[in-house]
Amino acid sequence: QGQLMESGGGLVQPGGSLRLSCSASRSISSFNVMAWYRQAPGKQREMVARLTRLRVTQYADSVKGRFTISRDDAKNTMYLQMSSLKPEDTAVYYCYAEVPVSLWGQGTQVTVSS
């Protein structure tokens, strides 16, 4: 079914930017849905941004206007451009794909702190 691997996480100051990448081990052109989720300590995993094969996007209210999800089928990669980061964005960010079976990456840590 394939594997997903995130990269691009790290430590950033409030107001800063980061771009996360999710690389797939196979072609993503047929993936029905790709998405980013995050899980903060002591909290449930939540959907951050979602992108369908038809390029329909959906964002959590907390990130609207600050985060942008995109995919490059030629590179088998999905991205999450994050700007105006806040301390409450601190979490492990996971890549998800609906193949239609569910695929998850291993997660990448994003820490927003001064």
Side-chain angles (χ1 to χ4, degrees):
Q1 299 293 341
Q3 294 181 322
L4 304 174
M5 181 172 293
E6 303 93 339
S7 61
L11 173 64
V12 63
Q13 292 187 341
S17 298
L18 277 177
R19 188 177 79 158
L20 304 182
S21 298
C22 171
S23 298
S25 61
R26 51 166 282 191
S27 172
I28 68 171
S29 60
S30 63
F31 287 8
N32 295 326
V33 174
M34 297 191 76
W36 289 95
Y37 284 74
R38 68 185 180 188
Q39 187 166 20
K43 295 188 177 182
Q44 289 189 330
R45 190 173 297 190
E46 63 173 354
M47 192 277 290
V48 175
R50 184 174 180 269
L51 176 62
T52 72
R53 186 169 50 163
L54 297 180
R55 302 298 193 268
V56 176
T57 58
Q58 180 182 358
Y59 295 93
D61 288 343
S62 59
V63 306
K64 281 181 180 176
R66 300 188 298 121
F67 291 11
T68 302
I69 188 172
S70 63
R71 57 191 276 178
D72 185 337
D73 288 5
K75 295 183 178 179
N76 297 328
T77 302
M78 175 180 67
Y79 303 98
L80 184 67
Q81 179 67 47
M82 306 185 293
S83 60
S84 302
L85 283 162
K86 305 175 181 179
E88 51 263 44
D89 294 318
T90 295
V92 177
Y93 283 71
Y94 297 91
C95 175
Y96 166 84
E98 181 184 294
V99 180
V101 298
S102 296
L103 294 179
W104 290 93
Q106 83 289 348
T108 185
Q109 176 70 46
V110 172
T111 302
V112 184
S113 174
S114 55

